[in-house]
């Protein structure tokens, strides 16, 4: 256990506590939210350290009393037996955590191989994440979407955020960061007349939502184009040039938004997605030595590159990264994702304790 790291984090906790007690900080809601999130991350550590310190003090007192009165020996033994679990808990909290865990996210879902069936499956994934968010009490907002002819989605960006400061610093990212990758579906498509099972795929990209202070964007490095919104089949759904396409020239990242009625609103939504993508790109560069799976969640939406399979005939959901399988696909699509997400979180916890933070992402 690093005593220096513990002392540094406890000092940070005390400083943050002072800042939050100052009414002046709440004049800037953005700053107050960031400070509050960091404070919430450190609350479990502060509590664990205080419990361990108290347990050690109680043990020392019990042993001192036992030296004079043997009846206290049993109490001392009980207290001594409790220490290892408290020490392990504190040691686990001292392991560096994902710096984005407290953040909200933008989930991008793109139809891939499989044509209209893939778009329908992308729509299923959109409903699955929306329903999961509802179960967690999170807020959802469709930033942009391109619908398909049969009611699916070709491409959709969904913002998911917590209400207020997430408890323990565990925001939406801490749960949904595992979802990035290719999701494969096996089922009889509605367009299949002979009842044959088809395989198609949709790509999911999960980005921690970036605040303006997280990413600096030079307006001179942006090319902004406007065009008319289009619906399924390409038909125009707007008589004005309200849709916006933003190109970040240094990176080549292109973001388009057309859901809102005004050009200004679409521009603001596109900038939200652009900031999230630039933050993810910066993190990717910082983790250049990490595994390929960590660097990029989705390279191509190809049926062979999959992290998870949804098999409708067997009502089965399988996560290939950790060998998780459950026969409750209907419930998962209804938003009951905690089974697979808990398994992924536990795999990550075990990997971090073993000193390999990449293990659960392979």
């Amino acid at each position: 256990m690093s005593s220096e790291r513990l002392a540094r984090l406890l000092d940070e906790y005390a400083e943050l506590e002072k800042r939050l007690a100052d009414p002046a900080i709440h004049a800037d809601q953005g700053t107050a939210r960031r400070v509050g999130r960091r404070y919430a991350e450190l609350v479990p550590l502060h509590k664990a350290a205080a419990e361990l310190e108290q347990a050690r003090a109680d043990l020392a007192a019990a042993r001192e009393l036992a030296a004079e009165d043997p009846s206290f020996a049993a109490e001392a033994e009980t207290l001594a037996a409790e220490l290892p679990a408290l020490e392990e808990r504190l040691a686990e909290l001292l392991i560096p955590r994902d710096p984005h865990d407290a953040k909200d996210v933008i989930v991008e879902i793109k139809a891939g191989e499989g044509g209209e069936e893939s778009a329908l499956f992308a729509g299923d994934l959109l409903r699955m994440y929306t329903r999961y968010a509802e179960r967690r009490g999170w807020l959802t907002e469709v930033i942009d979407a391109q619908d398909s002819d049969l009611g699916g989605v070709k491409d959709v960006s969904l913002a998911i955020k917590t209400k207020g400061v997430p408890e323990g610093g565990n925001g939406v990212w801490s749960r949904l960061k595992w979802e990035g990758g290719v999701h494969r579906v096996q089922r009889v498509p509605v367009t299949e007349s002979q009842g044959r099972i088809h395989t198609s795929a949709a790509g999911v990209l999960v980005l921690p939502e970036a605040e303006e202070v997280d990413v600096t964007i030079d307006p001179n490095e942006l090319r902004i184009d406007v065009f008319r919104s289009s619906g399924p089949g390409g038909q125009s759904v707007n008589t004005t040039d309200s849709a916006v396409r933003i190109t970040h020239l240094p990176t080549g990242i292109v973001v388009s938004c057309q859901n809102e009625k005004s050009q200004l609103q679409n521009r603001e939504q596109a900038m939200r997605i652009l900031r999230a993508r630039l933050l993810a790109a910066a993190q990717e560069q910082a983790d250049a030595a990490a595994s390929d799976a960590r660097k990029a969640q989705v390279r191509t939406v190809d049926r062979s590159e999959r992290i998870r399979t949804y098999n409708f005939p067997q009502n089965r959901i399988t996560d290939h990264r950790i060998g998780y399988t459950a026969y409750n696909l209907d419930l998962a699509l209804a938003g009951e994702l905690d089974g697979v997400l808990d398994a992924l979180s536990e795999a990550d916890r075990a990997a971090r304790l073993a000193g390999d933070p990449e293990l659960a992402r392979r």
Side-chain angles (χ1 to χ4, degrees), residues 109 121-135 158 160 176 179 183 204 308 310 317 329-337 340:
I109 306 171
F121 177 52
D124 291 338
L125 293 177
L126 172 62
R127 283 184 290 275
M128 180 179 77
Y129 293 128
T130 301
R131 289 166 179 169
Y132 180 68
E134 291 171 353
R135 290 175 179 272
L158 177 72
I160 307 178
L176 293 186
E179 293 305 287
H183 295 239
V204 176
R308 190 176 298 155
Y310 303 74
I317 179 172
L329 175 57
D330 53 339
L331 298 178
L333 290 174
E336 294 188 20
L337 284 174
V340 62

Side-chain angles (χ1 to χ4, degrees), residues 1 6 16 38 67 131 142 163 180 202 225-226 284 313:
M1 185 186 303
L6 175 59
L16 293 172
R38 179 56 178 162
R131 289 166 179 169
V142 175
K163 296 178 181 178
D225 302 306
V226 295
E284 183 177 324

Side-chain angles (χ1 to χ4, degrees), residues 217-225 245-251 253 267 271 274 278:
I217 300 177
D218 184 347
N220 295 321
E221 296 179 340
L222 300 178
R223 185 177 72 235
I224 301 177
D225 302 306
R245 180 186 301 109
I246 299 178
T247 303
H248 185 248
L249 299 175
T251 61
I253 293 175
R267 177 171 174 160
M271 287 298 292
L274 178 60
L278 287 173

